[in-house]
Amino acid sequence: MILCSPTMFDATSQNAAKAAIKLKKYEALWNLAHEAINSVDPIFASQYTAVAVTHNFEGSPHIDKQNTGPFYGFAVGDHEDGTG
């Protein structure tokens, strides 16, 4: 799931309205992510516009062509050494 700030869209667009509804539904999750990011990089925390949330995700090395800027990854759970 991607949570986007409505500021990413034209304020009158349907996408902005949908983003605002989704953000309101998951506001607590957005706020927790913001607190975590702000604790390690306050400058980035003041600039980011989206948060991706996954569950049981197993990633692999790859390049996302749509990512145009820096991002943080944060894994939570029970992980064996070197896997989380």
Side-chain angles (χ1 to χ4, degrees):
M1 163 179 59
I2 306 290
L3 297 177
C4 297
S5 168
T7 60
M8 286 183 59
F9 306 100
D10 173 356
T12 60
S13 75
Q14 271 191 319
N15 286 338
K18 288 178 184 178
I21 291 167
K22 190 185 225 182
L23 190 57
K24 183 69 175 169
K25 181 176 180 179
Y26 297 102
E27 185 175 14
L29 186 56
W30 177 274
N31 290 339
L32 287 170
H34 182 76
E35 285 180 36
I37 295 166
N38 192 52
S39 73
V40 295
D41 191 342
I43 294 172
F44 184 77
S46 71
Q47 300 171 348
Y48 74 92
T49 56
V51 173
V53 180
T54 62
H55 181 258
N56 290 334
F57 177 76
E58 292 185 29
S60 61
H62 66 282
I63 296 173
D64 288 328
K65 294 179 182 177
Q66 288 122 354
N67 287 358
T68 58
F71 64 92
Y72 280 91
F74 180 70
V76 179
D78 296 324
H79 304 280
E80 294 182 26
D81 287 346
T83 65

